[in-house]
Amino acid sequence: MVTNLPLRQLGTTDMEITRVGFGSWATGHSEEVVGKVLRGRGAADRPYVFTKCGLVWDESDPMKEAVRSLASKSIRRECEASLRRLGVERIDLYQIHRPDEFGVPVEESWRTMSQLVEEGKVRAIGVSNYDASQLRKCESVRHVDSLQPPFSLIKRDAAVAEIPWCNANRTGVIVYSPMQAGILTDSFSVDRVKKMADDDWRKKSVNFQTPHLEKNIVLRDALKPIARRHDTSVSAVAVAWTLAWPAVTGAIVGARSSSQVDGWIAAATLTLTAGDLDEIASAIERIGAGSGPTRSPSLTITQ
């Protein structure tokens, strides 16, 4: 297992982060779990803690779907609750989870986020799932420290506009779901989807339904020769592919156990060759899986 991971500066912030990070969403009540881990550790002996706001659940009915609220009072209330659950005095990176659904102007919510930085409650601020037009609106108020978009070999749409915007504006990019919710792992199969619980959200996702599912698994299989050449896992190759895009600072990868972390952490030190990237791009185009660009412009290979 890799223990010493390379670092990269997150945008224009003073933070250098590992190329891969642990996503704790799958652990359940994740801030409380992380808070327990952090207890007893000094500021110099703890990892960076990144969390989000903007999804508000009804405490009287936890089964009810969360609403996307970015009103100033709501952002502040969530921030205070996160600080309390995490047991920290300052959140290293505070991110907006998704755009507001009630018509709150982007500039207004971003101004509140900026105030949290000025007040010392958060160190840096970012957004997740924002498009380029929303990023530009935020930038008019205060610099966007980071963007967290979905990005994988299957879901490549962020490479059209959002990742290039971040590259041009020195905004860090931390991609999420680089293994496409488990499809791009060594052991995934059609049979596994059939055995998923009826309430598993993935069953409703187009990427887990015919004919997309079968194409995605064929694409996963196309990574196996590359994984063998590097003596690593398919999961590590999938994550490393996202990190090969010059504007991408890091990838947040979910896990429910330490063994799952062992399966992908090697991506942090895996450098795919130009030949590997060309082989992957050709496979995507041949199979017709997913959507979005298959190569970073700076990595385009001419014959």
Side-chain angles (χ1 to χ4, degrees):
M1 178 176 173
V2 179
T3 54
N4 296 317
L5 304 182
L7 304 175
R8 189 170 184 182
Q9 183 181 4
L10 179 63
T12 59
T13 73
D14 62 353
M15 290 185 284
E16 289 194 333
I17 66 172
T18 54
R19 299 304 309 278
V20 294
F22 173 68
S24 62
W25 177 79
T27 63
H29 306 293
S30 55
E31 286 186 342
E32 294 176 357
V33 173
V34 172
K36 289 180 181 179
V37 173
L38 297 178
R39 281 193 197 108
R41 291 193 173 200
D45 187 40
R46 70 167 177 82
Y48 290 132
V49 177
F50 300 169
T51 192
K52 296 177 181 174
C53 66
L55 288 185
V56 181
W57 277 265
D58 185 341
E59 294 183 2
S60 65
D61 185 4
M63 299 304 293
K64 190 176 180 180
E65 188 174 353
V67 297
R68 303 194 306 272
S69 174
L70 291 174
S72 180
K73 289 183 179 180
S74 183
I75 290 174
R76 287 185 170 279
R77 185 164 52 247
E78 285 193 78
C79 182
E80 294 296 339
S82 291
L83 289 168
R84 184 175 62 254
R85 286 190 292 263
L86 291 166
V88 297
E89 294 182 358
R90 184 176 66 168
I91 295 166
D92 294 302
L93 177 65
Y94 200 44
Q95 305 156 97
I96 288 176
H97 202 292
R98 290 184 181 276
D100 176 88
E101 64 177 296
F102 298 108
V104 177
V106 171
E107 296 89 344
E108 181 179 320
S109 55
W110 194 241
R111 193 168 292 110
T112 300
M113 296 286 283
S114 179
Q115 290 168 355
L116 293 175
V117 176
E118 294 168 0
E119 295 164 11
K121 294 179 179 179
V122 304
R123 184 175 187 173
I125 52 177
V127 294
S128 182
N129 301 297
Y130 269 39
D131 62 29
S133 66
Q134 292 163 330
L135 287 167
R136 286 191 289 269
K137 289 179 180 178
C138 289
E139 190 73 10
S140 70
V141 175
R142 182 198 179 275
H143 180 57
V144 181
D145 291 318
S146 72
L147 169 69
Q148 187 172 315
F151 191 56
S152 72
L153 280 159
I154 295 168
K155 191 174 181 60
R156 307 180 300 275
D157 307 273
V160 175
E162 287 72 37
I163 291 178
W165 185 93
C166 290
N167 191 45
N169 288 274
R170 300 182 66 200
T171 289
V173 178
I174 305 173
V175 304
Y176 75 86
S177 198
M179 299 187 302
Q180 200 59 49
I183 294 177
L184 298 172
T185 58
D186 299 70
S187 60
F188 199 82
S189 65
V190 172
D191 187 56
R192 184 172 171 182
V193 176
K194 293 178 181 178
K195 294 178 179 178
M196 287 178 179
D198 291 337
D199 61 352
D200 193 315
W201 68 267
R202 290 175 292 183
K203 277 198 168 184
K204 298 179 181 179
S205 170
V206 67
N207 282 317
F208 288 80
Q209 299 173 0
T210 300
H212 303 283
L213 175 61
E214 290 76 10
K215 288 184 178 181
N216 293 337
I217 291 178
V218 172
L219 176 59
R220 184 279 310 274
D221 290 342
L223 303 181
K224 290 182 177 180
I226 299 171
R228 285 195 292 269
R229 288 201 296 271
H230 289 277
D231 191 26
T232 192
S233 66
V234 164
S235 302
V237 172
V239 176
W241 180 87
T242 68
L243 298 174
W245 291 70
V248 175
T249 314
I252 192 83
V253 194
R256 294 178 183 272
S257 66
S258 59
S259 62
Q260 288 183 345
V261 174
D262 290 343
W264 49 255
I265 199 168
T269 55
L270 173 60
T271 300
L272 298 176
T273 67
D276 295 333
L277 296 168
D278 191 42
E279 184 177 336
I280 292 171
S282 297
I284 294 172
E285 293 159 7
R286 181 181 70 254
I287 297 164
S291 60
T294 60
R295 294 179 177 87
S296 170
S298 63
L299 295 174
T300 298
I301 299 170
T302 57
Q303 302 296 334

